Amino acid sequence: MPLRRITTLALALSATAATLTAVPGAAAARTPETLRWKPCAEEQQEPAEKAKDAKDSKGSKDAKDGEDAEGGKGAEMPELPPLECATLDVPLDYADPGGRQIEIAVSRLASEKPERRRGVLVTNPGGPGIGGLGYPAVLAASGLPQEVRDAYDLIGFDPRGVGRSTPVSCGLTQEQQGRGNFPAWADTPGDVVREAGRARQIAERCAASPSAPLLPHIGTADVARDMDRIRAALGEERVSYLGASYGTQLGTAYASLFPGRGDRIVLDSNLGPGGYDHRAMRLFGRGLEDRFPDFAAYVAARPEYGLGTTPRQVRATYQELARRLEREPVQGWDAAAFRGNTFDRLYVDANMPELAKIWQALDTGGPVPEQPPFPGLEALMSARFAVICGDSPWPRTIREYQRDVRADSRRYPLLGGSTANIGPCAYWPRSWVKEPVRVDDQGPSNILLVQNERDPGTPLAGAKALRRALGDRAVLVTADQGGHGVYPFGVNGCANEAVTTYLTTGQRPARDLACAAEPAE
């Protein structure tokens, strides 16, 4: 989840998954050969008030309540359907499969039409650091077509290090948590030097934590191997997959490591072939540049906000507000919070009215909405650092980050050099860093990429790069709309239908498909 302020998707899923514990006394699986399903805790069967409240506080692409993820009108979010839960033991270190074992929490929403069931659909909502145990229920309640629910048992799981699976913690301080997961704003070489001290402290804190023996084994390749253990425990020869955001990196890793065990693979809102690496972090600046014109046009068409009557004026207002808040924060909002929350809320069209009101309040001195506390932030950030810092090598010298900050400050002035700045990955223990999973065109042609053209978190450039790397294995469907996430939460019927058709019939578009813009209903 590529945000300075973690998006509300994490809030909703964390709140939902927090209730997904097995009923006391329910036996959990202890071998990779079987899963023993039991009803999840009764609290999970109640209306998803926690998840809905979290969504309402900032908006989420993964829940509907009045307006859907991309701004279309929808009915109030229904109750989440009940799930079944189990646990599965897997090796902490796959190089030592007989050594220490850890637990993976798994959930299932079974097809109610056995005669139509064709297999299982493993799901992942993104992250890294976000649990996916409740995601099948969220998908079902948020418009996943009935024909897909009939065709598959929907499978969710908390990745290792996260949630109800064996967790990790770096013991991050409140101050370290409060800074979020984007580095500080940077314009000058001195900004990078100042941030380096904080970055080093976080890496050292992780290395000295009680979770240190686990942290080298929380990466994407490890989770992909866990997915294959889940497949085996389900008794399936092959599995289909639906993953969003960071879930595209996980799905790509599974398709690369186990090419013969994937059935129909859908990757939504795509990272590039390098996954969540240093290049992907820098691309967030491009993502905001791609997405911002949608918001500028929205505000310019509504002069009552007083933020500009042309897109150029709205952009100038953004820069002026950032400069003012840099000099003097307002009601606890500094420039970093302003930029980060602008980036965050532009994941979802339905958030634009609220974002405009925040800008207006900061501009005029009116009351600014309080930011809700984030449950489980320390654990989320710890797992997140373990994954992104361990999945691939990051630059190790301050000079390299100074060079990137200088370039991105000019290239992407809305976020400046923030996401090019130095972070804990520069100081991650070298022995914890693995070789990236190789992504190429070797394997079956069974991958469908789906992507918004103006996605701030996973920009279109990354999807195109992944498409090139996968070659004939993949087909790319793009939707002329903004925001993060296409299926099934968006309003573009062309893109949604392409995914549903593939999952239910196995038919992909014959070639890459560009879906035209469609108005919200």
Side-chain angles (χ1 to χ4, degrees):
M1 186 73 42
L3 302 178
R4 182 183 183 281
R5 306 283 182 183
I6 311 288
T7 69
T8 310
L9 167 56
L11 275 169
L13 290 168
S14 298
T16 303
T19 65
L20 288 172
T21 54
V23 174
R30 295 300 178 197
T31 71
E33 287 77 29
T34 184
L35 287 168
R36 296 180 61 186
W37 298 107
K38 295 290 184 179
C40 298
E42 291 181 1
E43 291 84 355
Q44 190 274 330
Q45 301 181 32
E46 299 174 356
E49 292 301 324
K50 290 182 180 179
K52 185 172 74 66
D53 290 346
K55 191 278 299 182
D56 289 344
S57 69
K58 288 170 69 182
S60 168
K61 75 179 181 66
D62 293 305
K64 291 183 181 179
D65 182 27
E67 290 193 356
D68 69 18
E70 297 302 327
K73 298 296 180 181
E76 184 172 339
M77 182 178 177
E79 295 184 5
L80 299 187
L83 300 179
E84 299 171 289
C85 291
T87 58
L88 178 68
D89 283 357
V90 300
L92 170 64
D93 183 356
Y94 276 96
D96 181 20
R100 178 178 177 180
Q101 305 291 294
I102 60 174
E103 284 191 341
I104 303 299
V106 187
S107 66
R108 178 175 70 174
L109 181 61
S111 168
E112 296 180 354
K113 300 288 181 62
E115 70 279 8
R116 298 181 183 177
R117 180 190 180 278
R118 67 172 311 275
V120 299
L121 181 65
V122 178
T123 65
N124 181 274
I130 295 174
L133 202 62
Y135 197 47
V138 173
L139 284 166
S142 301
L144 188 70
Q146 188 62 47
E147 56 264 43
V148 177
R149 294 183 58 183
D150 291 343
Y152 297 95
D153 294 343
L154 303 183
I155 303 298
F157 68 101
D158 282 349
R160 55 173 59 205
V162 176
R164 298 293 172 179
S165 296
T166 299
V168 296
S169 170
C170 290
L172 302 177
T173 67
Q174 288 296 321
E175 180 182 0
Q176 288 168 335
Q177 295 176 51
R179 292 292 297 275
N181 63 350
F182 270 6
W185 177 262
D187 277 325
T188 69
D191 294 332
V192 180
V193 173
R194 283 187 289 274
E195 185 67 8
R198 170 185 171 269
R200 183 189 292 272
Q201 288 174 0
I202 290 177
E204 291 175 347
R205 196 170 189 91
C206 292
S209 72
S211 290
L214 280 71
L215 292 174
H217 306 290
I218 306 298
T220 301
D222 299 297
V223 179
R225 294 185 175 98
D226 293 342
M227 283 175 53
D228 202 55
R229 289 293 183 106
I230 293 171
R231 175 201 59 78
L234 291 168
E236 300 286 340
E237 292 186 5
R238 296 193 300 166
V239 293
S240 294
Y241 178 80
L242 174 62
S245 195
Y246 164 75
T248 65
Q249 180 181 351
L250 178 58
T252 301
Y254 187 80
S256 300
L257 293 172
F258 305 100
R261 296 176 188 168
D263 188 7
R264 299 169 185 174
I265 297 174
V266 177
L267 308 180
D268 180 349
S269 307
N270 296 269
L271 289 163
Y276 201 161
D277 59 7
H278 177 55
R279 290 177 292 275
M281 180 73 82
R282 292 179 64 188
L283 268 182
F284 300 150
R286 176 168 179 172
L288 184 56
E289 296 288 342
D290 289 347
R291 174 63 162 153
F292 191 83
D294 291 342
F295 179 65
Y298 172 86
V299 171
R302 292 161 177 81
E304 61 270 21
Y305 289 124
L307 301 170
T309 57
T310 67
R312 177 173 293 189
Q313 289 176 355
V314 175
R315 187 180 179 96
T317 299
Y318 172 90
Q319 299 288 20
E320 174 58 25
L321 279 172
R323 285 190 291 268
R324 283 162 49 187
L325 293 168
E326 197 80 63
R327 295 190 300 267
E328 185 176 354
V330 172
Q331 301 176 51
W333 285 66
D334 60 11
F338 170 68
R339 295 187 185 101
N341 276 274
T342 296
F343 180 89
D344 182 7
R345 283 170 169 80
L346 291 183
Y347 269 44
V348 182
D349 280 356
N351 288 340
M352 288 186 183
E354 180 190 25
L355 179 58
K357 290 176 183 177
I358 290 173
W359 280 33
Q360 186 180 47
L362 291 171
D363 186 41
T364 63
V368 183
E370 293 185 6
Q371 298 302 292
F374 190 95
L377 180 58
E378 196 283 330
L380 188 156
M381 292 181 66
S382 298
R384 178 185 177 82
F385 287 136
V387 173
I388 66 173
C389 297
D391 269 357
S392 61
W394 287 60
R396 308 288 297 194
T397 68
I398 290 176
R399 179 171 295 180
E400 289 172 280
Y401 289 96
Q402 290 173 329
R403 177 200 63 205
D404 293 343
V405 162
R406 182 170 61 253
D408 288 2
S409 293
R410 298 167 182 165
R411 188 180 294 130
Y412 311 128
L414 293 175
L415 276 184
S418 173
T419 60
N421 202 354
I422 196 167
C425 296
Y427 300 102
W428 211 245
R430 291 180 185 271
S431 62
W432 292 6
V433 180
K434 308 293 179 61
E435 284 296 317
V437 175
R438 179 178 174 82
V439 177
D440 57 30
D441 59 357
Q442 301 302 300
S445 182
N446 63 345
I447 301 173
L448 179 65
L449 311 179
V450 60
Q451 177 76 34
N452 286 335
E453 291 184 2
R454 299 179 300 283
D455 184 327
T458 53
L460 179 60
K464 289 182 174 180
L466 181 60
R467 171 68 179 85
R468 290 192 296 270
L470 290 170
D472 290 340
R473 295 199 67 186
V475 172
L476 173 63
V477 175
T478 56
D480 184 1
Q481 62 187 15
H484 188 57
V486 178
Y487 185 83
F489 313 103
V491 299
N492 192 287
C494 166
N496 284 339
E497 183 60 29
V499 177
T500 297
T501 298
Y502 181 49
L503 289 175
T504 54
T505 72
Q507 297 298 312
R508 296 181 308 174
R511 59 187 62 84
D512 291 350
L513 174 65
C515 292
E518 297 180 12
E521 295 181 1

